[in-house]
Amino acid sequence: MSERVQRVIVFLDWQNVYRQARESFHSKTDDFVKGQVNPLDLALTLAERAPEGITRELTSVRIYRGLPDNKFDPKAYDAARRQISTWQRDQRVVVNHRKLRYPSDWVKGKSDPSLVKEKGIDVALAIDFAAMATDGQYDVGILMSCDNDLLPALERVEQRRKTRGDGPAVEVAAWKSPFRRSPRLSFQNSGGPFCHWLDQETYWGLTDERDYTTPSPLDVHRRR
């Protein structure tokens, strides 16, 4: 009998992944590209970390992120679209984005950037994580984020597995900083789920230091 291959979907809370990478491996004064990673390479790395004797296959990496508003910040909007286009060259990459919320009096370069907020990203991710588990779309769901608002979705999938004896496994991933205490998602009672700790050496192999605010020759060629 041939061995069953576990289907893996990696769910990335993109802004959280980026921010935690910067806090784990960089200083606040480093260029903004520091902290960017290639999401497909990240997902493949996680999928390959299967327990001994188990074969896993990445079927999808789902990215959840805010999208700058073209009206308020056209340069950032264009950069985000270039980045998303680059990611989606591989059909396994699925990007779910929602428009960022700006104050009504927002002025680029003058207003406080911290006033720009993501809205609905964590809700969209949580719904998909739980619904896709119920629909049997993955055997292993790996979530990378430190946002505790996502815990109820993980707990629901985990509880279904425990009570019914079947269903997908829940795992999380987090950056392991050599400089500070590294946060991770964990259940209050059990301390689980299993966490894939990604250290600094692994991080350097996944980095993407392209400045997407500047079009590349490939971008120009693609538009023709």
Side-chain angles (χ1 to χ4, degrees):
M1 180 182 294
S2 60
E3 182 184 63
R4 180 170 177 265
V5 177
Q6 292 182 333
R7 301 163 299 155
V8 178
I9 295 183
V10 175
F11 297 79
L12 301 179
D13 178 356
W14 186 251
Q15 187 61 22
N16 194 278
V17 170
Y18 168 75
R19 185 174 65 250
Q20 292 295 328
R22 285 186 63 85
E23 294 179 1
S24 296
F25 309 118
H26 298 284
S27 69
K28 294 181 179 179
T29 58
D30 281 350
D31 191 84
F32 72 92
V33 301
K34 303 296 185 179
Q36 290 182 166
V37 293
N38 182 305
L40 181 60
D41 288 348
L42 171 58
L44 287 168
T45 296
L46 292 171
E48 289 170 357
R49 294 185 168 202
E52 186 176 354
I54 295 178
T55 301
R56 290 180 172 179
E57 177 184 1
L58 179 72
T59 59
S60 179
V61 50
R62 300 180 63 87
I63 304 166
Y64 298 78
R65 59 166 296 166
L67 184 70
D69 192 309
N70 193 32
K71 179 177 68 173
F72 290 106
D73 196 345
K75 185 175 182 179
Y77 171 82
D78 288 343
R81 298 304 306 187
R82 290 188 196 101
Q83 189 177 46
I84 291 171
S85 178
T86 300
W87 292 343
Q88 292 183 324
R89 291 173 190 169
D90 190 291
Q91 62 181 5
R92 289 170 292 184
V93 179
V94 178
V95 180
N96 297 270
H97 56 75
R98 296 179 66 87
K99 192 175 293 185
L100 294 173
R101 298 287 184 88
Y102 295 76
S104 59
D105 58 350
W106 170 265
V107 178
K108 173 67 175 177
K110 296 182 179 180
S111 300
D112 182 357
S114 67
L115 297 176
V116 181
K117 303 293 184 181
E118 286 188 345
K119 294 294 183 181
I121 298 298
D122 54 347
V123 174
L125 196 164
I127 290 173
D128 284 353
F129 192 90
M132 295 177 74
T134 301
D135 292 343
Q137 295 187 43
Y138 61 84
D139 301 309
V140 182
I142 304 176
L143 171 60
M144 191 164 185
S145 177
C146 295
D147 187 346
N148 287 320
D149 289 341
L150 297 170
L151 275 174
L154 274 67
E155 291 169 341
R156 180 178 179 83
V157 176
E158 178 71 6
Q159 187 61 36
R160 175 187 173 92
R161 181 179 177 86
K162 287 182 177 179
T163 57
R164 300 192 180 189
D166 61 6
V170 174
E171 299 175 358
V172 298
W175 300 118
K176 182 66 172 178
S177 174
F179 312 114
R180 68 181 186 113
R181 180 178 177 277
S182 302
R184 56 152 292 184
L185 288 178
S186 60
F187 301 144
Q188 290 185 349
N189 296 328
S190 66
F194 175 80
C195 181
H196 297 267
W197 287 108
L198 303 174
D199 61 16
Q200 189 171 31
E201 182 178 359
T202 303
Y203 165 73
W204 288 124
L206 302 171
T207 55
D208 172 16
E209 297 194 356
R210 175 181 167 184
D211 180 355
Y212 288 93
T213 63
T214 303
S216 73
L218 187 60
D219 294 324
V220 175
H221 176 74
R222 188 175 291 109
R223 288 198 299 268
R224 292 177 179 173

